[in-house]
Amino acid sequence: ETQDFIQFGAPKVNMRSHGTGDIFASTFTGALSSGYSEYDSLVIASKYTSRCILNSYNDPDRVDYGVNFERELPYLISLIK
């Protein structure tokens, strides 16, 4: 309706993994339902998802079927405080 355009940049990580869309969607929905604006919810979800991917990429014991979202929960909590 408003014709707003939102762009968020994050470093490219040379890794493919499952579940990142689920992480983004659930984080966005949780932030939005907690009273954050659409814009702030998108930023929170983008930052958290990016951080989860980067954490997984840097983990020598990573698995190839998901990302380390649990390890980044403290970061998510810091974003929503």
Side-chain angles (χ1 to χ4, degrees):
E1 291 178 10
T2 64
Q3 302 294 317
D4 288 344
F5 177 79
I6 299 169
Q7 183 174 352
F8 177 81
K12 182 176 181 178
V13 177
N14 192 19
M15 174 183 150
R16 292 184 182 202
S17 187
H18 302 282
T20 54
D22 294 334
I23 292 169
F24 181 89
S26 60
T27 305
F28 172 78
T29 302
L32 191 63
S33 65
S34 295
Y36 286 91
S37 69
E38 289 178 7
Y39 175 82
D40 289 338
S41 297
L42 288 169
V43 170
I44 290 167
S46 297
K47 286 182 175 182
Y48 178 61
T49 304
S50 176
R51 186 90 170 243
C52 291
I53 294 168
L54 189 58
N55 182 299
S56 300
Y57 179 76
N58 291 324
D59 183 353
D61 298 321
R62 71 178 172 260
V63 295
D64 61 355
Y65 54 82
V67 294
N68 297 341
F69 72 92
E70 299 95 339
R71 293 185 185 156
E72 292 300 332
L73 286 172
Y75 177 69
L76 176 59
I77 292 167
S78 75
L79 291 174
I80 61 174
K81 281 191 172 180

